Amino acid sequence: MTKAVKNYIGFGIFLLMIALSYATNFQIGMDVGDNFWIFAWDMLRILPPAFLLIGIFEVWAKRETIEKSFGGVSGPKRYIYGILLAATTVGGTFVAFPVANSLYHKGADYNSIFTYVTAASLVMIPMSIMEASILGIRFTLIRLGVSLPLVILSAALLGAYFKKKKYLLPAQE
Amino acid sequence: MIGLYAVTAIAFLISLLIDRERTIKAVKIGWKKFTKILPGYLKILMILSVVLLVPNEIIARYLGESSSYFGIIVAGIFGSITMMPGFIAYPLAGVFLDQGVSYMVIAAFVTTLMMVGVATYPVEKQYFGKRSTIIRNVTAFGIAMIIALSMGLFYGELI
């Protein structure tokens, strides 16, 4: 039995237990079920179009283009591109991880992908708007103002470290 | 969300018009990648469903009662363990604010919630490798703490 099959069986048992909880009115199980549904619905809506886009990206994006904007030769511009890409990403880090991996294998360097992943959790536009409406515009502006330099600084440091260690990201084929 | 669907639909149609074969290949690549990572996402779903059993009132009570520095760390740990989409996290943060939790503790909570993912480890590991995943998450925790402290300074909660 492969690992994936085991995971699916585990997941099937998990679903069965939730179903049983509803059938027997078992409160904790039903709470797990409610939580599960909230997140499952979110992932169901976001992941299929996100992965379709990744597929389209992989067949069309030219390696030279990605290298030019997200590779080492791009210089400081790659930080701006990474942040802009992240600002418009929907779904937070769990969408950013596969996108970053694809970018990397098309020639983006570590500085760009760490900028992108970090910014994808800090400067997403749709999320920031929601944040400002609930916690106040001042909160959001301070948070963004403090975040941006940290995004770039940490990406530069992590990028330098991983380049020095000659670290390679796992391939996804 | 609508934007994501619009962009995907437009990109797909343009791709289809230019080259049908390539577009089919794109769908296949997307599908292959999706099915490969799906067990990881399912693991995240299971972990989150169980972790979030901790009632919000308990979290709010802990965060509200803790003194400032300690509160940031507690909030950071809570936020690191779990992960939430923004449409759940921010209304929750709003509730905390109403209950008197300070801005800097809320900042530590929402920032780690988005950036640090113990629960998202099964997916991140497959795309970034173990080592990079751990280093990135530790760095992210540090960044979240700096953001929280800066928030405390700006709102005058630190001194």
Side-chain angles (χ1 to χ4, degrees), chain B residues 15-144:
Chain B
S15 173
L16 202 63
L17 280 176
I18 298 174
D19 191 335
R20 199 161 165 261
E21 293 299 308
R22 254 196 198 198
T23 310
I24 294 170
K25 203 178 150 207
V27 174
K28 278 188 185 153
I29 290 176
W31 177 252
K32 204 174 146 200
K33 281 179 181 289
F34 179 63
T35 48
K36 193 170 176 207
I37 197 66
L38 189 60
Y41 282 112
L42 296 181
K43 259 187 222 162
I44 295 183
L45 277 177
M46 290 191 274
I47 297 170
L48 290 178
S49 316
V50 176
V51 167
L52 291 179
L53 280 179
V54 181
N56 298 340
E57 303 84 59
I58 292 184
I59 302 179
R61 203 192 311 142
Y62 264 101
L63 299 188
E65 278 174 4
S66 337
S67 63
S68 54
Y69 290 103
F70 187 64
I72 297 177
I73 293 167
V74 173
I77 291 170
F78 267 125
S80 299
I81 293 169
T82 179
M83 186 215 90
M84 290 179 198
F87 69 88
I88 297 174
Y90 284 114
L92 182 59
V95 172
F96 290 167
L97 195 63
D98 289 340
Q99 291 177 346
V101 179
S102 65
Y103 280 101
M104 83 184 155
V105 171
I106 288 175
F109 183 69
V110 292
T111 317
T112 48
L113 213 49
M114 306 296 168
M115 281 184 87
V116 187
V118 174
T120 51
Y121 179 77
V123 165
E124 185 172 0
K125 178 185 69 173
Q126 289 201 42
Y127 287 116
F128 279 77
K130 269 184 199 158
R131 177 132 164 229
S132 164
T133 299
I134 292 166
I135 294 175
R136 191 200 67 81
N137 277 289
V138 171
T139 311
F141 191 84
I143 292 176

